[in-house]
Amino acid sequence: MAQTMFDPASFTQNSCTNNNEWTTWFDSSDPNFTQGEHEITKHIQQLFPGFMCPDPIAIEAQTVTDGSPTQTGDVIRLTKDDGFMCLNQMVTDFKTKLCADYKVRYCCPTSSIGKPTIQTIPPVISTTRPTIANTCGRQVITPSYQRIVGGTEAVAHSWPWIVSLQSRDHFCGGTLIDNRHVVTAAHCIDSTNFRVIAGLHQRTNINGPRSQILGVQRVFVHEQYNKKTEANDIALVRLAQPAQFNDYVGAICLPGPDPQESERVTVAGWGVLSENGNSASSLRQVTVNVMNNQAQQAYRNSFDVRQQIGAGIPNIGGKDSCQGDSGGPLMYNANNQWYLSGVVSFGDGCGAAKYPGIYTRTSAYLTWLRSKMNTP
């Protein structure tokens, strides 16, 4: 009986030959009833740069007692790019089953082991580098690429365009598209009596050294927004004063290319960590897949693929935006730039299997956005 698991699935222990070799085994986290058990490739590259490579050829996973992952009864996923994930705590029928403890190792080119991969945490940040014009969707601080509900804490300030809309506390997210305008959801807006906090990581640390507290001059809610169906759930906030762009605050690009079915997209926010749970204390992120077909089946007449995007984890759930993430960005990376593909709108629960989160498709509203941006 096989005692191990590989990605690619056709790989074996003897496949790592010639100018390649296996790394040591890594066990970077322990299982728990909150998040399950994760051995994430990027995290391991950050923690053990002297023992890892930038681009592994394959990954092997076992339990820490050298058992086969497929014999544990856990809900598991394994890819060399993302790593190993036990998702029991994100699947309804498995929430009470504690994941086994796992370890992973990677097949790497011998010459690349110990070579730099990604920035370690905390990143080294230049505070004197001038801001370059026309660099929307590019950040100085490298984000984590780990796979809100079932997500992970973001690297501080790695999503410099994300802002928090706050009255007494955070109530919705938003996204800077230039230094005077924030895109958010229409259902977030009922007045101008709120502040926009840019450069924020810890939700309540609005007076921190990187934060900018910005007033609101005017809001534009889409004229055809429907509170019942959440159609046209988009709004534009004009700031009372321009945001100061630097290494911690910047703008995302308006779309360009739209993500296609099954492509990966990223959501980030300070929303609750589970349905009816507590708000996140720091910015969190999750990578999900475009699931328009599943969204059409789940929501039927409430979903219009021309104006909305569905996204989640196929057949598993557990990773999604949630209350308080509303208005925040659905982000898509193309040609090393990040685009605002969607705005967090609604869903059935938080991370519910077979019910993807629904996002307003930004590309359908470019004419509307530009019209409002040019309105005095």
Side-chain angles (χ1 to χ4, degrees):
M1 182 181 294
Q3 295 298 305
T4 196
M5 184 177 177
F6 295 94
D7 180 66
S10 59
F11 216 78
T12 70
Q13 291 177 343
N14 295 327
S15 300
C16 194
T17 57
N18 298 327
N19 295 320
N20 306 316
E21 65 179 90
W22 288 107
T23 66
T24 188
W25 287 99
F26 301 103
D27 178 19
S28 64
S29 67
D30 295 321
N32 62 70
F33 279 112
T34 303
Q35 294 183 330
E37 155 74 323
H38 297 74
E39 300 296 333
I40 301 298
T41 299
K42 296 298 184 183
H43 188 217
I44 290 169
Q45 288 172 325
Q46 291 175 332
L47 290 176
F48 309 106
F51 300 91
M52 262 296 279
C53 60
D55 298 299
I57 298 166
I59 185 175
E60 179 182 2
Q62 295 181 357
T63 69
V64 293
T65 56
D66 301 327
S68 170
T70 60
Q71 301 301 312
T72 61
D74 289 334
V75 180
I76 55 180
R77 298 180 71 244
L78 179 71
T79 70
K80 65 183 179 65
D81 294 328
D82 295 329
F84 180 91
M85 289 161 279
C86 174
L87 304 171
N88 291 356
Q89 276 58 55
M90 304 170 195
V91 181
T92 301
D93 294 338
F94 289 79
K95 289 184 182 293
T96 58
K97 184 182 187 303
L98 183 66
C99 294
D101 198 1
Y102 294 93
K103 61 183 179 180
V104 297
R105 66 175 181 172
Y106 297 84
C107 180
C108 289
T110 299
S111 61
S112 71
I113 294 177
K115 295 295 189 292
T117 54
I118 56 177
Q119 286 182 307
T120 56
I121 301 173
V124 177
I125 303 163
S126 167
T127 57
T128 58
R129 183 188 60 78
T131 300
I132 302 172
N134 300 319
T135 54
C136 72
R138 301 183 192 273
Q139 59 270 74
V140 174
I141 301 171
T142 304
S144 166
Y145 291 97
Q146 295 181 23
R147 296 231 137 213
I148 1 215
V149 177
T152 185
E153 181 175 345
V155 176
H157 310 295
S158 59
W159 305 111
W161 38 81
I162 296 180
V163 300
S164 171
L165 309 187
Q166 299 197 4
S167 50
R168 293 185 180 88
D169 195 357
H170 169 86
F171 64 89
C172 271
T175 311
L176 282 162
I177 56 172
D178 65 16
N179 65 354
R180 287 295 301 272
H181 295 97
V182 170
V183 174
T184 188
H187 77 260
C188 289
I189 304 298
D190 59 12
S191 73
T192 58
N193 189 26
F194 62 92
R195 300 173 296 180
V196 174
I197 315 298
L200 190 66
H201 183 66
Q202 298 291 334
R203 188 187 82 248
T204 60
N205 190 27
I206 63 172
N207 294 311
R210 314 294 186 212
S211 300
Q212 298 179 32
I213 303 175
L214 305 166
V216 174
Q217 182 183 88
R218 187 172 180 183
V219 296
F220 302 90
V221 175
H222 197 282
E223 295 82 357
Q224 294 178 307
Y225 168 57
N226 186 316
K227 292 183 179 181
K228 183 176 180 180
T229 66
E230 299 296 351
N232 304 302
D233 190 11
I234 192 167
L236 185 71
V237 176
R238 178 171 295 160
L239 301 174
Q241 63 269 19
Q244 302 300 307
F245 284 180
N246 53 37
D247 288 353
Y248 316 101
V249 177
I252 199 169
C253 301
L254 287 171
D258 260 351
Q260 301 303 302
E261 186 74 10
S262 300
E263 283 198 281
R264 292 181 183 176
V265 284
T266 299
V267 195
W270 290 273
V272 298
L273 300 180
S274 60
E275 192 167 2
N276 301 318
N278 296 321
S279 295
S281 60
S282 55
L283 186 69
R284 295 181 69 81
Q285 67 177 73
V286 63
T287 297
V288 291
N289 299 86
V290 174
M291 294 175 60
N292 290 326
N293 294 336
Q294 183 65 44
Q296 191 72 68
Q297 293 178 29
Y299 299 104
R300 299 191 181 277
N301 294 336
S302 295
F303 178 74
D304 183 347
V305 73
R306 297 168 299 178
Q307 298 179 329
Q308 294 165 315
I309 296 174
I313 295 292
N315 302 317
I316 295 177
K319 298 183 179 185
D320 194 6
S321 51
C322 210
Q323 293 93 345
D325 294 318
S326 286
L330 180 76
M331 302 175 286
Y332 177 55
N333 188 289
N335 301 317
N336 296 315
Q337 282 184 289
W338 289 92
Y339 292 86
L340 179 63
S341 292
V343 178
V344 179
S345 182
F346 72 92
D348 189 339
C350 297
K354 299 185 180 179
Y355 285 88
I358 303 302
Y359 304 81
T360 303
R361 185 184 291 272
T362 318
S363 62
Y365 296 91
L366 290 179
T367 300
W368 182 85
L369 285 169
R370 288 171 177 144
S371 170
K372 301 308 178 186
M373 291 169 72
N374 292 324
T375 299

